[in-house]
Amino acid sequence: MPYYSVLCVCLDELALREGGHSWISVIRVSSCYIVRNPVFFCWHRQPFDGDGMVAKFDFSEGENSIRFSNKIILTKHLQEELDAGKALYSSAFSSGNPLKDGGRLFALPFSLDFKNVANTGVVKWGGKLWALWEGGPPHRICPDSLDTEGIDELGRLLSGDQPFAAHYRIMEESGEQVLINFGAGQKGLDLELKIWEFDKNMQPTKERVIERKKKAFAFLHDFVVTENYYVFHMNPLYLDLKKVASEFLLGKCPIAQCLKFNPLEKGTWLLVPRDASKDVMEIEAPVSQFVFHHGNAYEENGKLTVDSVALDSFDFEANMDNVKASYFFNPGPMGRLHRTQIDLKTGKIAQSLVSERGCEFPSIPIKKTGVKHKYIYTACSAVSGRAGWGPNRAVMKSNLEDGSEELFVFGAKKFTGEPIFAPKTNANREDDGYLLVVVYDAEKNSSSLAIMDARNIEKGPVAEIKLPARLPYGLHGSWVQP
């Protein structure tokens, strides 16, 4: 039973290879933003662009024991840069800084070759392990040694630079599990969306391809699936062509900073039938919002319900240098849990706020994917409301039936990652399981894996696996059942 995760790693932390202590199994991925290697600079300190590192907590070695291991994902692009001793590729969220980049006036000007950093998600399926990055194909990783085996085109399904999203869904149907994922590509200013379903051996059983005019920059990062639909939120973004010409092409800013949120435009919900013979539904959202992550969706009584973390706006220029304490006191892009309901006959849509508390990384048990759920777990702010909401220092369990919340705050200087649900053996309730949360202690500059009873998170961790060094802050992880 492993837990895998992808992390954001600094190359000067390669000493953190293996450690040991306590019990369970998880995989997570981080983006290793490069702080300072002899050849690299983290120019704008944007964690989304760090080179990936995979970490593994393996609880299968016996009772009351665990093995921890992690390795940087040695992508082709990263290896080329290490060999050259300098940055060779542009990144989506970071660009060169002429004051730090050897005195060059422009850094990587006219570069349209983006680096596949393999830093966002991770999936183990059919005995194989992949690190995911939504801008290109996945990287195969050895599940045991965590060595990088290279780009995997999945039998030429992803030939070229076909995107394969970092957010997939695993759904149980007729006693079998199905892996569902998508790739959001571009044809000029148009969106080309490909959706696949895979059997237990990672063989594709379904493929849908749809296009949407002038939606290339809708930023489809995540999706959800129900019995009959794949569900996406297309964000109200546009490409600032003036900034592209005057800054991006000269290497003065990354391409992401040319994406602008339009508060005067509402986003769109895209409902793609899993049955290819049926028509796609496109429904205007009730308000202008930006959505990174969804928790779950299901159909009931002719309505489709989606739970998502939505922000009132989003600024792609925010990074680790310019986000100050005041960011958390002013009205701004705070994510909150919302519920959207769509009448599948009339197209009527309504939205309600589930919680005032700032949160991210919504999580549910895999068994509830695409069916009605009662709970959602999120990493969240210790403070409810907008005033002083702050980064995630707590974990929240939201009861979607009665509106109640359970909360555990780890501490003033402890910061939480994505909560991953691991079901108990023979679980008979939705919340029979554990939450696995990587916690960073800023005061001690150390990390741990907190294990919480999902039925009583207010009690705090029932076990904690302390690591011998800081684990770089991560993005998404995966619990792997034996």
Side-chain angles (χ1 to χ4, degrees), residues 15-24 56-59 61 64-70 447-449 464-469:
L16 180 57
R17 288 290 191 181
E18 295 183 359
H21 300 26
S22 294
W23 61 274
I24 296 188
K56 178 181 178 182
F57 297 83
D58 195 340
F59 304 97
E61 296 200 356
N64 297 324
S65 67
I66 180 173
R67 181 177 179 81
F68 171 78
S69 56
N70 69 316
S447 300
S448 62
L449 180 69
E464 193 171 7
I465 300 161
K466 295 185 181 296
L467 298 175

Side-chain angles (χ1 to χ4, degrees), residues 432-451:
D432 272 347
Y434 298 99
L435 296 181
L436 308 171
V437 187
V438 172
V439 180
Y440 170 60
D441 187 331
E443 197 164 49
K444 297 180 179 178
N445 194 30
S446 64
S447 300
S448 62
L449 180 69
I451 303 169

